[in-house]
């Protein structure tokens, strides 16, 4: 799971099969992670398998799976394992998805209750094939978790619901504690990295969450090392703050296979520290910036810190 380069040819990304191979840069020492294998990791894996659930931890080849599953942290991916988009950075399978599994919300809720999660993260593939982009399924899942595990805080990491009127409103109405949607990269790289999405639509989506529910925490993340400049990253921070986003994550892009977008460079830990300092200065309540930062990494601890930061700010 920790090896992010696919050496075996799989029909996982048919739309990428004919692309020329991209060069693979050797990883610096600060990117290395331990292979998974603790007893708690195995227990988490069993609960996921028993419920026939999909996790983004596995599907996206996340480098932090060993650490997170050993702490009983898992990010559940609803609505199947096949995405209708073909982003150049993503290792999730692309194609025509299967029909929704109707009892999936209850299965996810059951797994969360069995794992005793204090904070649950729910994400999904893009489902452009559905009239509401899967918003109803998200809302049902949030409500099922609330019923099965009332003390669990819930974070959703949603698609952009492009051209799906009323979809966002359904998810916000179900009252997740954190609404996350990733901008992923700077606007000038969208055509190459995130061709099916629109930067300003994604930004507006997050702004709209705050208009619908000013108390809901909003969160967004970008990857670096794709060819963006420092100035462009700072502009994205400003855009996020203008949309009153509370929490920013910044992590190193890691190339899933030779058919995916090439890494432009490895951003150093010192540069990440600089981004963290700047982001706090711009007014974010919470910042996670490091080479291995991912949207859902340390999400539970981060949520507690996010809540505390808001309380401290309102106490001044």
């Amino acid at each position: 799971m920790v090896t992010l380069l696919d050496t075996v040819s799989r029909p996982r990304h048919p739309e990428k099969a004919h692309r020329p191979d991209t060069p693979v840069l050797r990883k610096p020492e600060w990117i290395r992670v331990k292979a998974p294998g603790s007893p708690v990791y195995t227990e988490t894996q069993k609960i996921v398998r028993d419920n026939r659930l999909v996790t983004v931890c596995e599907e996206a080849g996340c480098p932090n799976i060993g650490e997170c599953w050993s702490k009983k942290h898992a990010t559940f991916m609803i609505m199947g394992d096949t995405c209708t988009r073909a982003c150049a950075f993503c290792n999730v399978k692309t194609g025509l998805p299967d029909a929704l599994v109707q009892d999936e919300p209850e299965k996810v809720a059951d797994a969360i209750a069995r794992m005793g999660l204090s904070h649950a993260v729910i994400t999904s593939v893009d489902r452009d094939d559905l009239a509401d982009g899967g918003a109803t399924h998200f809302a049902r899942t949030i409500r099922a978790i609330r019923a099965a595990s009332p003390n669990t805080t819930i974070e959703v990491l949603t698609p952009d619901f492009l051209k799906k009127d009323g979809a966002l409103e359904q998810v916000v109405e179900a009252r997740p504690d954190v609404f996350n949607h990733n901008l992923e990269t700077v606007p000038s790289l969208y055509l190459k990295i995130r061709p099916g999405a629109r930067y300003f639509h994604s930004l507006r989506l997050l702004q709209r969450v705050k208009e619908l529910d000013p108390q809901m925490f909003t969160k967004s993340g970008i990857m670096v090392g794709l060819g963006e400049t420092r100035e462009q990253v700072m502009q994205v921070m400003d855009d996020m703050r203008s949309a009153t986003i509370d929490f920013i994550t910044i992590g190193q892009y890691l190339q899933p296979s030779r058919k995916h977008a090439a890494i432009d460079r490895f951003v150093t830990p010192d540069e990440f520290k600089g981004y963290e300092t700047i982001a706090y200065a711009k007014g974010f309540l919470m910042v996670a910036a490091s080479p291995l930062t991912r949207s859902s990494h340390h999400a539970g601890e981060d949520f507690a810190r996010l809540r505390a930061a808001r309380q401290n700010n309102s106490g001044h």
Side-chain angles (χ1 to χ4, degrees):
M1 275 314 304
V2 182
T3 306
L4 288 168
L5 274 183
D6 263 338
T7 48
V8 183
S9 178
R10 298 182 286 173
R12 189 177 177 88
H13 303 288
E15 80 298 335
K16 295 183 175 88
H18 303 296
R19 290 182 186 172
D21 285 1
T22 53
V24 175
L25 300 180
R26 182 176 163 76
K27 291 192 192 78
E29 70 282 355
W30 63 77
I31 295 286
R32 310 301 160 104
V33 288
K34 286 181 187 165
S38 74
V40 182
Y41 172 91
T42 309
E43 186 189 337
T44 303
Q45 189 179 49
K46 185 176 187 308
I47 292 170
V48 169
R49 297 281 179 277
D50 288 352
N51 284 274
R52 293 187 177 176
L53 299 172
V54 179
T55 65
V56 78
C57 322
E58 295 171 290
E59 292 304 314
C62 181
N64 302 313
I65 188 169
E67 179 196 349
C68 291
W69 282 28
S70 295
K71 293 178 178 174
K72 285 194 174 180
H73 294 174
T75 298
F76 296 97
M77 194 162 85
I78 58 174
M79 299 193 279
D81 64 355
T82 305
C83 188
T84 54
R85 306 244 180 121
C87 296
F89 64 87
C90 186
N91 200 33
V92 172
K93 196 161 61 176
T94 303
L96 186 64
D98 294 329
L100 294 178
V101 176
Q102 289 307 314
D103 65 346
E104 183 180 48
E106 290 71 30
K107 282 183 175 173
V108 169
D110 178 56
I112 286 165
R114 283 173 61 194
M115 289 167 76
L117 297 187
S118 59
H119 187 76
V121 184
I122 310 299
T123 189
S124 79
V125 289
D126 269 288
R127 291 296 303 255
D128 296 314
D129 58 313
L130 300 174
D132 67 351
T136 305
H137 207 71
F138 258 106
R140 283 187 54 216
T141 304
I142 294 165
R143 293 189 177 106
I145 297 166
R146 290 268 184 252
S149 195
N151 295 323
T152 301
T153 49
I154 301 169
E155 181 170 325
V156 293
L157 171 55
T158 76
D160 59 14
F161 301 124
L162 195 61
K163 303 186 181 110
K164 308 289 182 187
D165 285 350
L168 172 70
E169 287 75 6
Q170 278 199 68
V171 180
V172 174
E173 198 181 316
R175 301 293 305 276
D177 296 281
V178 181
F179 191 106
N180 185 1
H181 172 67
N182 287 329
L183 294 182
E184 305 292 9
T185 187
V186 301
S188 64
L189 291 176
Y190 258 56
L191 201 56
K192 177 180 149 194
I193 301 301
R194 205 174 170 227
R198 299 292 175 267
Y199 177 81
F200 287 103
H201 171 83
S202 286
L203 198 62
R204 175 68 187 131
L205 183 90
L206 288 152
Q207 186 179 36
R208 180 83 183 118
V209 172
K210 282 288 192 193
E211 290 169 3
L212 291 165
D213 186 346
Q215 291 308 303
M216 193 171 289
F217 288 107
T218 51
K219 177 175 173 181
S220 190
I222 60 165
M223 303 168 289
V224 290
L226 281 161
E228 70 295 320
T229 66
R230 187 167 177 273
E231 290 72 25
Q232 287 175 321
V233 171
M234 289 196 284
Q235 181 62 59
V236 169
M237 290 182 192
D238 287 338
D239 291 346
M240 285 190 188
R241 287 305 300 136
S242 71
T244 58
I245 292 166
D246 300 302
F247 185 172
I248 183 174
T249 61
I250 307 173
Q252 171 70 50
Y253 166 63
L254 293 176
Q255 188 178 345
S257 81
R258 291 180 183 276
K259 298 297 183 185
H260 287 76
I263 295 173
D264 178 68
R265 71 186 187 96
F266 287 104
V267 178
T268 67
D270 282 350
E271 288 175 273
F272 277 106
K273 194 72 192 160
Y275 281 142
E276 180 186 1
T277 303
I278 292 164
Y280 275 122
K282 287 182 183 291
F284 287 96
L285 283 180
M286 182 76 202
V287 182
S290 76
L292 289 173
T293 288
R294 295 296 179 267
S295 272
S296 310
H297 193 210
H298 299 153
E301 298 99 309
D302 287 345
F303 176 69
R305 288 164 64 197
L306 188 61
R307 204 156 40 180
R310 177 182 281 176
Q311 283 166 351
N312 289 343
N313 276 17
S314 60
H316 289 319

